[in-house]
Amino acid sequence: MSVPSQRQLEKHIRASAASSSNVILTNHAKQRMKERNINDPMVMDVLRSGRLALPPEPDMKHPGLMCRMQRLVAGVNVAVVVYVEHPAPNLTVVTVIDVRKD
């Protein structure tokens, strides 16, 4: 199987995030969200409408890709790092970043 393009990954992440049941937040991501005053709807907005901010990177421990989606939401430039095993619809949110502060 070939590696998907960045555009294909964006479309896949957006389509998968259309159903919140496909999105899993790690404890680390929840902790960072709380620290950075970023809520669940903001994260979902980034996943559903954001853009890949950086090229996807292979995960060292797992067969999938780490993708950083980014979008301006409610005045905050939010980045969501999500683990993707294309073409599976499951998305695991690894961390959430307030880009202005990092």
Side-chain angles (χ1 to χ4, degrees):
M1 183 171 72
S2 65
V3 177
S5 70
Q6 282 190 263
R7 182 76 179 128
Q8 289 171 321
L9 277 170
E10 274 184 3
K11 289 174 84 172
H12 172 73
I13 291 168
R14 289 176 183 161
S16 296
S19 173
S20 59
S21 64
N22 291 332
V23 179
I24 300 164
L25 297 168
T26 62
N27 288 333
H28 176 82
K30 290 176 187 176
Q31 184 179 12
R32 295 299 171 259
M33 288 167 62
K34 186 175 180 180
E35 289 172 5
R36 296 169 176 151
N37 296 316
I38 297 170
N39 58 33
D40 290 0
M42 292 168 78
V43 169
M44 294 306 293
D45 188 300
V46 172
L47 293 176
R48 291 175 179 155
S49 303
R51 300 290 250 170
L52 277 174
L54 300 171
E57 296 181 8
D59 185 73
M60 296 303 194
K61 297 180 183 176
H62 303 95
L65 296 169
M66 300 295 272
C67 299
R68 180 175 168 160
M69 297 288 282
Q70 197 165 315
R71 179 173 166 82
L72 185 65
V73 182
V76 180
N77 195 359
V78 179
V80 177
V81 178
V82 64
Y83 174 75
V84 179
E85 282 189 38
H86 187 271
N90 300 331
L91 304 173
T92 302
V93 177
V94 177
T95 194
V96 177
I97 303 162
D98 179 345
V99 177
R100 293 176 305 178
K101 296 180 180 179
D102 289 340

